[in-house]
Amino acid sequence: MRKLIVLSFLALTSISLVADTARATDGSPEDGIILDGESVDLNEFLWIKRPIVVFADNASDPRFIEQMNFITDRLDDLDRRDVVVLTDTDPSADSDLRRRLRPRGFMLALIGKDGKVELRKPAPWSVRELSRAIDKMPIRQQEIRDRLSGN
């Protein structure tokens, strides 16, 4: 009887997880944070968001897949830091992002709210590493101080 109860609980939990996953892909945080960067103008995000740009020569690049897994696993941490993730996996499209940042193969770029390129990496970074880099930025430190003081 105990095994039946445990199995029932596990079945209900897995159904709930599937529903949560479907919700994430049908409209909430992921849709607002992760955007196709091929037709985006970085000026849209000035003083509003911190773009993280993930480049690859195609969507099957293992580094691109690993980076996107890191990002999707911790979207809330990025959302708290006003991050938008822009992806570009088509070098032949010659997007504005590619012309401006000039990636070679896989590249991760972190851009501050002021539009300055803060970080370029040729390998995937965890959200923890990205969060630490963001939290060291002067504008982010001011945001933290303002939040703590109640402004």
Side-chain angles (χ1 to χ4, degrees):
M1 183 66 167
R2 219 174 189 183
K3 288 182 181 179
L4 182 61
I5 292 172
V6 170
L7 287 174
S8 299
F9 176 77
L10 290 174
L12 289 174
T13 304
S14 64
I15 289 170
S16 172
L17 288 173
V18 168
D20 288 344
T21 304
R23 240 179 273 123
T25 56
D26 285 344
S28 21
E30 190 171 327
D31 289 343
I33 294 176
I34 300 174
L35 304 172
D36 182 7
E38 292 178 18
S39 60
V40 171
D41 180 11
L42 284 176
N43 292 327
E44 296 174 33
F45 303 109
L46 271 177
W47 305 110
I48 300 169
K49 295 282 187 179
R50 291 178 180 88
I52 292 177
V53 187
V54 184
F55 291 103
D57 286 342
N58 63 55
S60 299
D61 184 328
R63 295 170 297 181
F64 178 78
I65 293 169
E66 181 181 13
Q67 184 64 65
M68 295 311 294
N69 285 335
F70 285 157
I71 288 170
T72 55
D73 287 346
R74 308 232 353 233
L75 282 173
D76 290 343
D77 291 339
L78 296 175
D79 191 33
R80 271 192 296 273
R81 288 169 175 83
D82 296 330
V83 168
V84 62
V85 178
L86 307 174
T87 61
D88 187 335
T89 57
D90 185 9
S92 64
D94 194 34
S95 67
D96 183 49
L97 286 175
R98 284 189 179 272
R99 285 190 301 276
R100 182 170 174 187
L101 298 172
R102 300 181 184 198
R104 290 185 214 150
F106 178 86
M107 186 179 88
L108 170 74
L110 171 61
I111 301 170
K113 282 188 173 182
D114 59 357
K116 179 182 169 197
V117 177
E118 299 286 339
L119 176 73
R120 291 175 188 258
K121 293 293 173 185
W125 261 34
S126 71
V127 170
R128 183 177 180 185
E129 293 168 311
L130 287 166
S131 295
R132 285 182 180 175
I134 291 168
D135 289 345
K136 290 178 184 177
M137 295 177 182
I139 295 172
R140 174 64 180 156
Q141 290 180 354
Q142 183 63 48
E143 291 170 352
I144 293 169
R145 283 191 298 272
D146 289 348
R147 189 181 67 220
L148 292 175
S149 70
N151 291 336

